[in-house]
Amino acid sequence: MGHISALTAWLILAAEVGAVFIILTTAHDPLTVNVGFSILAGITTWSAIPALSEIFVKAGLKGMDLSKRTKHIIPESMGMVAGLIYLVTMFMFIPFPFMKWFTASNDGDLQELKLLTFPNLKLAELLSALLSIQSMVFLGFADDVLDIRWRFKMPLPAIASIPLLMVYWVHLGVTHIVVPIPLRPILGQLIDLGALYYVYMGMVAIFCTHSINIMAGINGVEVGQSLVIACSIAINDMIFLQSASSGAPAIETHLFSLYFILPFIGVSLGLMIHNWYPSKVFIGDTYCYFAGMTFAVVGILAHYSKTLLLFFIPQIFNFLLSAPQLFRLVPCPRHRVPRYNRHTNLMEPSRVVLDEEDDLEVEFSNTKQESKRAPSSVSLSSAGAAGASTQDTDEPHTESTNPPTATLLQSLRPLKNSNLKRSGWYCVKILEALGLTHVRYDSKTGKRPLEMTNLTILNLILLKAGPMSERNLTISVMVVQSCCSLVAFFIRHHLVAFVYDVV
């Protein structure tokens, strides 16, 4: 991965020594110790990835970056390294939140008092959380190696969260939700969901894990969005720790959250250095599973799952946008990542074929283009479509739309000769009307949809902003994620007062 300068080496050594000094001198302050461990975890991840890359390549965990002009062999599944270092770090951290019980006097009465007051449930929460995260790290690595089908890997996060939910049931077992103030005259102040609450928490684990996994495919975007979410969680925790209105339970739960999030930020930063454009390693599904389960763990055990989902606004939007393809209402290719244009070295929206253009229409289109070259017949990447993808060909195609004289009802009416189902047809028309996709119609009638841009937030950014480099696309996603986090903070700490009386 290249050599580092002497100055960089000395700075890294100083950071490591400083982190060890923090850990040894502040053993009775778990949060400060956790910061020291997080620094060590980040440095270890950064240095371990280059050392282990060749081992992964020899094991066959390698691939090629198809979004580059020059193709190189790149190690895959390096999220496993970050996940393992995170777990080792957290295992070493386990004694520190309970240090005052370990260092108490050996007097008999005090020993008995320690046994009576030791927070066994808090230790159980910590261990069950690590067990769930560890399960998802290894399941993610298994997915990278075995390429598990979606129908099988979809419920894996819920299964891995069972130890977490069991401890939650033993500790509190709270299954009621507070009803928003406007609905209380109808529903009352509290609603007990019973077993449905555990189903909800299992669904949170599934969503957090897979929502990061489907918003992926370009250098640095998985780690980038996860870092923004993790930093938002850490800031939210610090706000509660500094708030004078926070009671002891709130402080305890948000400290618990920070214990897990800070080391995660450390290992993610170490991984991000190697995964940033141009990427030297691929992180694989392992990191997505690891990140999603970490977020689910803190959201469930720290009791702020609704706030957690606010930080997932882009992922929620991406899921809703992707739903027609995920649920097979319209065709869904295996990979929906933006398409790389070798000629411009830019990323463009990828497209999915909805219907085939028959030979008669192709002949008609070619004859029409030869007889009359319309000025508006340009590729999607340079026309008003604002960045929709084109094929690697010099042959222009006609961008037909519905005739201006057609009424809205006529434009929404499915064609009998279309291969799209009725539900898929309506999805295409609605998404096109909302400007969320660009559709290419047949050149003969201008009514039958042939292609559309894939329904992901990455393709939507390119559709609206135009083709851009892979690096700028990742930055754009992180900017969107950061802006949505600001909206989430405004909702959580200001607008929430209009909906709930306890904030």
Side-chain angles (χ1 to χ4, degrees):
M1 294 292 178
H3 299 284
I4 59 175
S5 64
L7 177 60
T8 303
W10 278 107
L11 290 175
I12 293 172
L13 179 61
E16 291 175 336
V17 172
V20 172
F21 179 78
I22 290 173
I23 294 171
L24 295 178
T25 58
T26 61
H28 289 278
D29 183 2
L31 183 58
T32 307
V33 171
N34 190 268
V35 172
F37 274 117
S38 301
I39 296 172
L40 286 178
I43 296 174
T44 304
T45 303
W46 173 78
S47 58
I49 287 177
L52 297 174
S53 293
E54 190 62 29
I55 297 176
F56 277 67
V57 171
K58 290 181 178 179
L61 296 172
K62 58 185 178 181
M64 296 180 65
D65 195 339
L66 301 179
S67 298
K68 305 291 185 298
R69 285 176 176 170
T70 305
K71 304 296 188 293
H72 298 288
I73 298 297
I74 298 177
E76 292 182 338
S77 306
M78 298 306 291
M80 184 67 172
V81 178
L84 287 177
I85 293 175
Y86 175 86
L87 289 171
V88 171
T89 301
M90 290 302 299
F91 291 155
M92 296 176 64
F93 174 72
I94 287 175
F96 289 92
F98 313 99
M99 189 62 70
K100 65 180 180 180
W101 282 274
F102 296 149
T103 57
S105 170
N106 289 326
D107 180 82
D109 294 335
L110 289 178
Q111 283 288 91
E112 183 178 357
L113 181 62
K114 284 196 301 179
L115 293 176
L116 293 175
T117 61
F118 188 85
N120 295 290
L121 287 175
K122 185 58 64 178
L123 176 61
E125 284 185 346
L126 185 63
L127 296 178
S128 66
L130 290 176
L131 178 58
S132 295
I133 295 173
Q134 176 181 285
S135 300
M136 287 313 300
V137 169
F138 287 101
L139 286 173
F141 188 69
D143 186 21
D144 284 334
V145 175
L146 303 176
D147 193 17
I148 303 172
R149 290 180 175 271
W150 268 101
R151 68 173 64 98
F152 300 122
K153 67 182 179 182
M154 180 66 72
L156 290 181
I159 296 173
S161 66
I162 290 177
L164 202 67
L165 300 181
M166 285 298 299
V167 173
Y168 181 88
W169 178 77
V170 171
H171 189 189
L172 292 174
V174 176
T175 57
H176 63 260
I177 60 173
V178 180
V179 177
I181 294 175
L183 299 178
R184 288 180 184 177
I186 303 173
L187 302 176
Q189 187 172 0
L190 297 174
I191 295 179
D192 190 0
L193 297 180
L196 290 178
Y197 193 82
Y198 293 92
V199 175
Y200 158 73
M201 290 190 289
M203 296 299 291
V204 168
I206 291 175
F207 175 77
C208 290
T209 301
H210 292 306
S211 64
I212 295 175
N213 199 18
I214 66 174
M215 193 169 158
I218 60 174
N219 292 173
V221 71
E222 299 96 330
V223 185
Q225 62 181 301
S226 299
L227 269 173
V228 175
I229 294 172
C231 291
S232 300
I233 292 173
I235 293 172
N236 184 66
D237 291 333
M238 295 302 298
I239 290 174
F240 275 92
L241 292 181
Q242 298 299 322
S243 175
S245 61
S246 297
I251 292 176
E252 185 179 0
T253 56
H254 286 281
L255 269 176
F256 180 89
S257 174
L258 280 174
Y259 293 160
F260 282 85
I261 286 297
L262 293 180
F264 176 82
I265 294 175
V267 297
S268 295
L269 285 173
L271 179 60
M272 185 69 161
I273 295 174
H274 301 288
N275 188 235
W276 187 251
Y277 180 90
S279 179
K280 303 177 185 65
V281 298
F282 291 147
I283 61 173
D285 290 340
T286 307
Y287 179 83
C288 299
Y289 285 27
F290 159 51
M293 183 52 72
T294 303
F295 296 146
V297 160
V298 298
I300 292 172
L301 290 184
H303 311 294
Y304 60 78
S305 59
K306 295 188 293 295
T307 302
L308 175 67
L309 292 178
L310 287 176
F311 294 132
F312 274 77
I313 291 177
Q315 286 71 25
I316 294 174
F317 175 79
N318 186 62
F319 171 76
L320 295 176
L321 178 62
S322 302
Q325 288 189 309
L326 296 179
F327 295 106
R328 306 297 177 177
L329 298 178
V330 297
C332 181
R334 178 173 176 81
H335 298 291
R336 302 180 298 155
V337 298
R339 190 180 68 87
Y340 173 65
N341 190 324
R342 294 185 60 193
H343 302 296
T344 62
N345 199 30
L346 299 176
M347 305 300 293
E348 299 174 350
S350 60
R351 297 190 290 180
V352 60
V353 176
L354 303 176
D355 206 347
E356 295 294 339
E357 191 167 13
D358 55 53
D359 296 336
L360 181 61
E361 291 173 352
V362 172
E363 182 179 355
F364 177 86
S365 176
N366 292 338
T367 304
K368 183 177 179 180
Q369 290 179 25
E370 290 175 1
S371 61
K372 182 179 179 180
R373 291 287 182 176
S376 61
S377 298
V378 294
S379 64
L380 283 174
S381 60
S382 58
S389 131
T390 60
Q391 302 296 327
D392 285 328
T393 176
D394 295 328
E395 297 180 7
H397 55 74
T398 303
E399 300 299 332
S400 302
T401 56
N402 288 322
T405 57
T407 64
L408 178 61
L409 182 60
Q410 290 172 338
S411 66
L412 290 176
R413 186 176 301 155
L415 294 178
K416 294 182 179 180
N417 61 341
S418 175
N419 290 334
L420 275 178
K421 297 180 181 179
R422 181 180 294 270
S423 56
W425 172 276
Y426 288 130
C427 286
V428 170
K429 301 302 291 185
I430 292 172
L431 290 170
E432 183 187 25
L434 294 175
L436 300 178
T437 188
H438 183 275
V439 183
R440 183 173 74 87
Y441 292 89
D442 70 294
S443 55
K444 184 178 181 179
T445 66
K447 295 182 179 180
R448 186 158 60 94
L450 300 179
E451 291 181 341
M452 66 181 293
T453 53
N454 278 306
L455 303 176
T456 68
I457 196 172
L458 298 178
N459 287 306
L460 182 60
I461 291 174
L462 293 170
L463 185 64
K464 296 301 181 182
M468 64 179 69
S469 67
E470 190 173 3
R471 173 180 174 273
N472 289 342
L473 181 55
T474 299
I475 293 175
S476 299
V477 172
M478 294 180 67
V479 169
V480 170
Q481 190 80 51
S482 301
C483 292
C484 290
S485 289
L486 294 177
V487 173
F489 278 114
F490 180 74
I491 294 173
R492 176 61 186 86
H493 296 282
H494 294 282
L495 293 185
V496 71
F498 296 97
V499 184
Y500 295 100
D501 46 11
V502 178
V503 297

